[in-house]
Amino acid sequence: MARLGRQGRGERVFGAVAGSPVVRRIVRTVPVTLIALGAAFNVMTPPSFTGSPFFSAAPLVAAPLFTLRWTVLTGVLATLAVILLQVYSGTTWKAEALTELATVLTVSGLAALINIVVRRGTEQLASVRGIAEAAQRAVLPSPAERIAGLHVSASYEAAEADAFIGGDLYAVQDTPYGVRLAVGDVRGKGLGAVEAVAVVLGAFREAAESEPTLEGVAQRLERALAREGTRRDALDAVEGFTTCVLGEIPPGAGVLRLVNRGHPEPLLLYADGGLVELVPVDPALPLGMGDLGGWPDRAQEWEFPAGATLLLYTDGLTEARDGAGIFYDPAARLRGRVFPGPDELLSALGSDVRHHTGGGATDDMALLAVARPGEGQPERRRTVPVVPRGDGA
């Protein structure tokens, strides 16, 4: 299951309040209430005073909240109220009364125009959002909930409201060599980052099917980014890079292999609440920085017992800060906790991060959880890699 989007605490509170039936009923009465207040003001004050501000405000308030028909009807009611009050006070043909009537008529016409513009803008925004969602599904499709017997869940939360995809990425794929996965973070923002995401994911999907080793997959991604860098301007060609963790879970082996290219260390959560940070023995440079060094990729192998869950994430998680500037520590927050499955893990993690930050975020956050179904009692865990593998291709 994949979840996308971001909603801060203020947005959640506002949404809950605005969506309340009581609030909706109150909002619907505002234009009529303004007309009633204008009428009462005119009746209770001397003729030199006018309630035209109330009558003019009524259609303006209705314009963004109601349909065009109800906006026009509000303007008509406000105009009729002005005319009836002028007849009642005997000021129908005085200059002040004519000015008041012209003001209300003009504002009512502008309110109708505002309503049309707002409705068209809303329709265009809905269309843009639909296109963005379609693009997100094409570039970053949701993984299946079950892949080769593993339980999978993914989440993407953009730092910018209404954004659907940025520079973070994840992928899970069943291959002849087992389930292979990737989580990464492309340097930069905007469309350039999205293009790089598409390059990395496209190269990963192809390499995961054909490369016999995880090291070979990493080298294919390196070459793909190098080719992409030559097509960009000089700055991106020199400074562009992608941090990434590549994983492989062979069928039925109870192990997982990881190649970490400068990315935050994944976490392995056990069925008894234990937790291990999968720190690479030989740190490597991010993808796209191969020209700076010739260190070979080395996949490390870890036990992956039944009931355990592998959690991969981008630095949007670890760089989330509270009001005092304290960074979020997922290992400390998750250690000792037990979750029924990966969906519940990511849901609880997302809620905890929002609580930590007060609803705000400064960077995109991609999360991927892969769990092995439990088989009896939880197995004891090791806190070091089982076997560091040899040099890759």
Side-chain angles (χ1 to χ4, degrees):
M1 177 181 293
R3 297 176 293 274
L4 293 105
R6 180 183 71 83
Q7 190 178 45
R9 181 171 61 183
E11 293 171 295
R12 294 195 302 275
V13 172
F14 177 79
V17 173
S20 168
V22 175
V23 173
R24 288 199 297 268
R25 285 196 294 270
I26 293 174
V27 169
R28 291 192 186 102
T29 64
V30 170
V32 175
T33 301
L34 287 171
I35 294 174
L37 288 173
F41 184 86
N42 266 27
V43 171
M44 297 173 64
T45 58
S48 58
F49 291 88
T50 175
S52 60
F54 294 97
F55 299 123
S56 300
L60 287 178
V61 170
L65 300 177
F66 298 98
T67 63
L68 178 61
R69 177 182 297 178
W70 280 105
T71 302
V72 172
L73 179 60
T74 302
V76 170
L77 290 176
T79 303
L80 288 176
V82 170
I83 293 173
L84 290 175
L85 288 169
Q86 289 177 355
V87 172
Y88 172 79
S89 62
T91 59
T92 305
W93 301 110
K94 290 186 177 180
E96 295 84 354
L98 293 175
T99 301
E100 180 183 13
L101 181 60
T103 300
V104 174
L105 284 171
T106 301
V107 173
S108 297
L110 290 174
L113 180 60
I114 290 172
N115 181 274
I116 293 172
V117 172
V118 168
R119 296 301 163 187
R120 287 182 178 176
T122 302
E123 292 172 358
Q124 291 174 352
L125 179 59
S127 176
V128 169
R129 284 177 173 172
I131 294 171
E133 289 178 358
Q136 179 273 321
R137 287 191 295 270
V139 175
L140 200 66
S142 301
E145 295 183 9
R146 300 289 185 273
I147 300 179
L150 300 172
H151 298 183
V152 179
S153 184
S155 174
Y156 191 104
E157 297 197 14
E160 297 182 8
D162 296 327
F164 292 93
I165 185 172
D168 290 5
L169 61 95
Y170 57 75
V172 186
Q173 193 165 325
D174 189 13
T175 75
Y177 311 100
V179 174
R180 285 179 167 174
L181 49 91
V183 170
D185 186 357
V186 174
R187 170 196 169 272
K189 301 288 183 182
L191 290 178
V194 176
E195 291 173 0
V197 166
V199 170
V200 173
L201 289 177
F204 171 78
R205 290 170 186 142
E206 180 182 357
E209 291 286 340
S210 58
E211 289 290 341
T213 66
L214 205 56
E215 295 91 340
V217 175
Q219 289 302 311
R220 287 276 289 274
L221 299 187
E222 181 76 44
R223 291 193 293 270
L225 282 174
R227 288 193 301 270
E228 179 67 13
T230 60
R231 302 188 185 103
R232 295 169 177 261
D233 58 37
L235 178 63
D236 280 342
V238 172
E239 297 185 0
F241 62 87
T242 299
T243 67
C244 184
V245 171
L246 300 173
E248 178 181 276
I249 305 172
V255 298
L256 66 90
R257 302 180 185 116
L258 298 177
V259 168
N260 192 326
R261 283 297 206 97
H263 199 75
E265 294 83 4
L267 303 178
L268 193 59
L269 290 74
Y270 295 92
D272 62 358
L275 182 147
V276 174
E277 297 182 63
L278 305 184
V279 180
V281 173
D282 299 314
L285 292 173
L287 296 170
M289 300 183 70
D291 291 342
L292 300 182
W295 297 278
D297 288 302
R298 293 171 59 88
Q300 292 177 223
E301 195 168 274
W302 306 77
E303 282 189 347
F304 191 24
T309 301
L310 174 66
L311 173 65
L312 302 102
Y313 52 89
T314 57
D315 60 7
L317 177 65
T318 52
E319 292 182 359
R321 290 181 288 184
D322 63 9
I326 299 174
F327 290 101
Y328 186 85
D329 185 351
R333 294 279 191 152
L334 296 175
R335 183 173 282 109
R337 300 179 64 181
V338 177
F339 302 92
D343 284 342
E344 292 79 4
L345 167 61
L346 296 195
S347 179
L349 189 57
S351 298
D352 196 35
V353 172
R354 286 189 290 272
H355 180 266
H356 180 77
T357 62
T362 58
D363 197 4
D364 298 344
M365 181 176 69
L367 306 172
L368 178 65
V370 180
R372 283 195 66 198
E375 299 175 1
Q377 295 298 321
E379 300 180 30
R380 299 306 298 171
R381 58 189 180 277
R382 295 174 184 247
T383 57
V384 295
V386 177
V387 180
R389 302 184 68 199
D391 294 351

